[in-house]
Amino acid sequence: MTAITPETIRAHGLSAEEFVRIRQLLGRDPNLVELGIFSVMWSEHCSYKSTRAHLRRLPVTGPQVIQGPGENAGVVDIGDGDAVVFKMESHNHPSFIEPYQGAATGVGGIMRDVFTMGARPVAMMNALRFGAPDHPKTRHLVAGVVAGIGGYGNCMGVPTVGGEVNFHPSNNGNILVNAMCVGLARRDRIFKSAAEGAGNPVVYVGSKTGRDGIHGATMASAEFNADSEEKRPTVQVGDPFTEKLLLEACLELMATDAIIAIQDMGAAGLTSSSAEMAGKGGAGIDLDLDRVPQRESGMSAYEMLLSESQERMLIVLKPGREAGAEVIFRKWELDFAVIGMTTDSGRMVVRHKGELVADIPVHALADEAPVYRRPFTARPPASGEIVPAGTADIESVLLQMLGCPDLCSRRWIWQQYDYSVMTDTVQRPGGDAAVLRVNGANKAIAITTDVTPRYCRADPFEGAKQAVAEAWRNLTAVGARPLAVTDNLNFGNPERPETMGEIIRAIDGIAEACRALSFPVVSGNCSLYNETNGEPILPTPAIGGVGLIDDLAQMATIAFKRTGDVLILIGATHGHLGQSLYLREIEHREEGAAPPVDLMVEKRNGDFVRELIRSGRTDTVHDISDGGLLIAVAEMAMAGGMGAELTPGKDATIPILFGEDQARYVVAVAASKAEAVLADATSAGIPALVLGRAGGGALVVQDVLSIPVERLRAAHESWFPAFMSDETRTLLPARDIV
């Protein structure tokens, strides 16, 4: 028997105090297998021990919510007996170590979370954050991550319809790869993971178990250092073709009444799936590892329990239904094995080669993981109004910003994704939100991901509020009624008081915004320890939002459509330059206060814009975010291949044109409707003013600039193809290039 030494305990990511608690719960010393089980179940990645106490402050209910946090994914009602199932999760550390497989298995894992609930995945999004473009690893990481996302999603036949891609030096040693999956299900056919009752067969289905991904959850709960490359064996290897078979087999079985509970074998693999199912059902579970399908010889109990091999599920069936279920999975050429039974013992009992290798109270794994209220320092928010350093040429500023890494076209990326497979994609990548038709209906769901990390660094509370508000605006801008969010909280080491302060303030900001906007959190993920050699990422609480368009005839896009349409600015402009992209890209400063977010103003302005779309008075809307007003108008012009003439007069200043004040939209309305729209805005107490008119082949700002739309497009489209030149792609193995 392997001796449990202090070094062994530390190598498993456990503290001395946590080990003492394990001994108390067991009434004895754990063996090595049991120590491994505790190490993954009590890891930050699985137990949320630093955040659980604070996440309880998030609003998680609403009339539209069918399932909130606590299951594999959240579920909301969209009427007609239909439900949307969605969640966002991270695969940050694996993607930095092995970008192709890290990103690919992140996509596969989040898809399994969704179809485990009984939903067919219909869309993927991703929020990607890389280091500085000139960092020697950045191009390699971009190429591998994008190829991994495309390779897995395309093979699964699920469209990848949008997302975010940003660059910042804080991500040089720790990129962020957040994947969001959305699925559709019938609201009366939602499957959960609580393994209730005793004497029910526990069935393993999918791929065989190998040695890949062992201690992946523990690795994801530690910061990086100079030895991070040595963690490559903890990265899982995915097979999308097997996952496609698993998806179809699971959905076929779900069409019967054979399932009591079902759970993806994700982080911590067989250990977490079995313990969590038993814990939620108030049951025990007895496993025989000799029955586990294995693709490698001589695997130990420790390896089988902690492996994170992909494309595997654990199912609890009704007694007597094994044979029928096996027929389904064998038809789809997948492994099927009854590996255990639920019990009334309340214990997780594991046997291997006739020996008892683990005997642990389920509550010790599911309920007794430590909950820490770590010391925190609430750093004062950045402050100060920003004044431009001097006069600048508006034309050169506009072209430089349109072509900068954070604003340039992402076409190079999304053309590698199949964004139209399944033929229900109504709005492709590049707009405010993706829109997908609900198959067989005239309604649609809208999807977006949003966060501005530089705002969150300046003020985690306001920055997190802004992330929620921007997701709400992006859904509104296409005409969708915002329903609910999923979050992915990416932060550094929570054991550092300043980082813990950022986490707490961000959670409070999300909670306040979601309450004010009736936009509950129904699922999510915490990814901590995102730092390398003590250097953390910018705080990045990513928000994934989902909304509903009741009638596809009442939808807006960002593209200018008709010559002569009047452009109206909705919302007040003060010229806020603090933490703006203008300041960073043109003046090379990251300073000042983050833009304040008035949630009541956001709601009032957004409700007004949504009603304009619903009533048919506009079909052209764009929210104003990164880069400010002039960037938004330029994006509308490029999307429509049509120019515009703006007449701002003396207000054509850097702060007015490039400031990032919140709660604003540009809408285009027919000239005959403009006066009535302005009058309605005034009656509602909403600032609204005429910017100019759409038309022509150039973007004109009176007395300031006149640029052909094609010249805007050339600046906007050129950066990514130049950055990701052919020499970059040679960094990938041929098998990794899609």
Side-chain angles (χ1 to χ4, degrees), residues 12 55 126 132 259 270 327 412 431 496-497 546:
H12 281 76
L55 293 171
N126 49 77
I259 296 175
L270 182 56
V327 168
W412 182 90
R496 303 180 193 276
V546 171

Side-chain angles (χ1 to χ4, degrees), residues 588-630:
H588 310 295
R589 296 189 282 160
E590 292 187 40
E591 58 189 71
V597 179
D598 186 323
L599 295 166
M600 292 303 99
V601 171
E602 289 280 3
K603 189 170 191 321
R604 185 169 64 243
N605 293 2
D607 289 348
F608 180 78
V609 168
R610 203 178 310 108
E611 178 57 25
L612 290 180
I613 299 169
R614 190 203 64 78
S615 63
R617 289 192 283 176
T618 183
D619 59 2
T620 306
V621 179
H622 193 9
D623 93 302
I624 301 174
S625 55
D626 273 356
L629 172 61
L630 193 56

Side-chain angles (χ1 to χ4, degrees), residues 135-343:
H135 188 273
K137 271 197 163 185
T138 298
R139 292 197 303 171
H140 169 72
L141 291 169
V142 171
V145 165
V146 170
I149 291 169
Y152 209 102
N154 295 353
C155 291
M156 283 292 294
V158 177
T160 300
V161 293
E164 299 178 280
V165 184
N166 297 107
F167 298 84
H168 193 276
S170 74
N171 296 107
N172 283 348
N174 201 128
I175 63 174
L176 301 183
V177 176
N178 295 172
M180 178 178 175
C181 183
V182 179
L184 289 171
R186 297 298 291 175
R187 66 160 297 155
D188 61 351
R189 298 294 293 167
I190 301 300
F191 291 81
K192 299 185 180 180
S193 57
E196 298 174 346
N200 301 317
V202 178
V203 176
Y204 172 120
V205 299
S207 291
K208 290 179 169 60
T209 294
R211 290 188 170 96
D212 53 318
I214 294 173
H215 271 301
T218 307
M219 179 270 290
S221 304
E223 62 184 79
F224 279 164
N225 54 37
D227 299 325
S228 62
E229 286 295 321
E230 296 178 5
K231 297 177 179 177
R232 189 176 299 272
T234 64
V235 178
Q236 309 93 327
V237 177
D239 180 354
F241 298 105
T242 299
E243 176 127 336
K244 174 63 173 173
L245 300 177
L246 183 61
L247 163 65
E248 299 301 338
C250 286
L251 292 180
E252 184 173 336
L253 181 62
M254 287 167 173
T256 73
D257 65 347
I259 296 175
I260 293 174
I262 182 169
Q263 175 78 31
D264 163 40
M265 287 193 227
L270 182 56
T271 289
S272 65
S273 56
S274 56
E276 289 174 4
M277 292 175 83
K280 290 176 183 177
I285 194 163
D286 197 317
L287 302 177
D288 183 352
L289 298 183
D290 294 341
R291 302 179 183 179
V292 171
Q294 301 162 53
R295 70 166 181 259
E296 299 183 45
S297 61
M299 290 191 71
S300 68
Y302 184 98
E303 291 171 326
M304 280 187 276
L305 285 167
L306 271 62
S307 167
E308 294 184 8
S309 294
Q310 297 291 285
E311 295 86 40
R312 302 180 300 160
M313 291 277 191
L314 201 63
I315 304 174
V316 176
L317 294 175
K318 294 178 181 178
R321 306 302 294 271
E322 299 94 322
E326 183 171 6
V327 168
I328 292 172
F329 283 89
R330 296 297 183 193
K331 180 186 77 172
W332 290 99
E333 300 180 346
L334 295 165
D335 278 290
F336 179 100
V338 178
I339 65 168
M341 195 75 65
T342 60
T343 69

Side-chain angles (χ1 to χ4, degrees), residues 655-729:
I656 297 301
L657 296 177
F658 299 105
E660 296 180 7
D661 304 284
Q662 300 295 293
R664 296 185 300 159
Y665 305 79
V666 176
V667 303
V669 303
S672 61
K673 299 177 181 178
E675 187 174 336
V677 169
L678 292 169
D680 288 349
T682 299
S683 297
I686 294 171
L689 60 86
V690 173
L691 290 173
R693 290 178 181 261
L699 176 58
V700 178
V701 179
Q702 191 177 48
D703 301 326
V704 174
L705 63 82
S706 178
I707 307 178
V709 173
E710 287 308 310
R711 190 174 171 209
L712 296 175
R713 183 174 286 113
H716 189 55
E717 296 280 354
S718 61
W719 188 85
F720 246 110
F723 179 64
M724 302 303 298
S725 59
D726 287 341
E727 63 187 272
T728 307
R729 308 221 8 113

